[in-house]
């Protein structure tokens, strides 16, 4: 598929939609809670991928396109937040805001460094913990949806997320990212 982008073959977008369209729509909808806005973000994602490949050659296309649609959807959400709010997304961001440092607590540390530290932390966790964390804070799934998907109770998901956030905060303190 990536070769089609490098060849500037428009079939690349069709193939991307066939393989990743459902995922992109789900990510966008979880953030925006609106089908029309989600569709617009997915289309913008395809255009963004078209414009970035080449020269970029992503190693993991699924992660690459997920990150782009998520970023576009969050930007759109921020522009519309006075009018519309996705309760799941707002709650998820509020939960993370309590543990993630800002410039006052992590001077000289940029978001990319903090993101790498979070990735290292998550890679040390059990697969199920990592999956629940990503479903909540990357894909903005509700606790109920995560529970159904993973075969847990909503209470277990809530507890698991609280425990993981507490461990993440301890890890960031240990790494001198959160003082």
């Amino acid at each position: 598929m990536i070769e089609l982008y490098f060849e500037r073959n428009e079939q690349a977008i069709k193939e991307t939609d066939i393989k990743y369209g459902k995922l992109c729509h789900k990510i966008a909808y979880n953030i925006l809670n609106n089908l029309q806005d989600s569709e617009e973000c997915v289309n913008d994602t395809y255009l963004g991928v078209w414009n970035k490949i080449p020269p970029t050659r992503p190693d993991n296309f699924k992660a690459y396109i997920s990150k782009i649609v998520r970023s576009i959807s969050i930007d759109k959400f921020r522009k519309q937040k006075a009018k519309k709010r996705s309760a799941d997304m707002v709650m998820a961001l509020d939960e993370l805001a309590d543990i993630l440092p800002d410039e006052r607590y992590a001077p000289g540390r940029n978001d990319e460094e903090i993101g790498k530290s979070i990735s290292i932390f998550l890679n040390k966790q059990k697969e199920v913990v990592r999956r629940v964390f990503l479903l909540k804070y990357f894909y903005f799934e509700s606790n109920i949806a995560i529970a159904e998907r993973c075969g847990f109770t909503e209470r277990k998901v809530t507890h698991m997320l609280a425990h993981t956030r507490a461990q993440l905060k301890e890890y960031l303190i240990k790494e001198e990212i959160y003082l």
Side-chain angles (χ1 to χ4, degrees), residues 41 44-46 48-49 52 63-73 138:
C41 287
D44 290 348
T45 298
Y46 296 157
V49 171
K52 291 178 183 185
Y64 183 76
I65 198 166
S66 294
K67 186 175 179 181
I68 292 173
V69 72
R70 182 178 184 270
S71 177
I72 289 170
S73 300
F138 187 85

Side-chain angles (χ1 to χ4, degrees), residues 1-9 11-20 46 49-50 53 57 61-62 65:
M1 185 178 336
I2 293 173
E3 291 308 317
L4 291 173
Y5 281 100
F6 271 87
E7 294 169 6
R8 305 313 286 162
N9 184 333
Q11 185 66 28
I13 294 173
K14 291 176 186 169
E15 295 295 324
T16 300
D17 187 52
I18 291 168
K19 189 162 185 178
Y20 298 107
Y46 296 157
V49 171
W50 180 262
I53 302 176
R57 184 179 292 272
F61 191 75
K62 181 179 179 182
I65 198 166

Side-chain angles (χ1 to χ4, degrees), residues 125-164:
Q125 304 305 306
K126 292 179 182 174
E127 183 179 342
V128 69
V129 171
R130 188 171 47 248
R131 182 172 186 226
V132 167
F133 190 90
L134 290 174
L135 286 170
K136 179 67 173 186
Y137 300 115
F138 187 85
Y139 295 105
F140 299 111
E141 293 271 341
S142 69
N143 288 8
I144 293 171
I146 295 168
E148 289 173 2
R149 182 183 287 221
C150 296
F152 299 142
T153 64
E154 182 181 2
R155 182 179 170 128
K156 178 173 175 118
V157 169
T158 302
H159 182 273
M160 187 182 295
L161 289 167
H163 182 71
T164 305

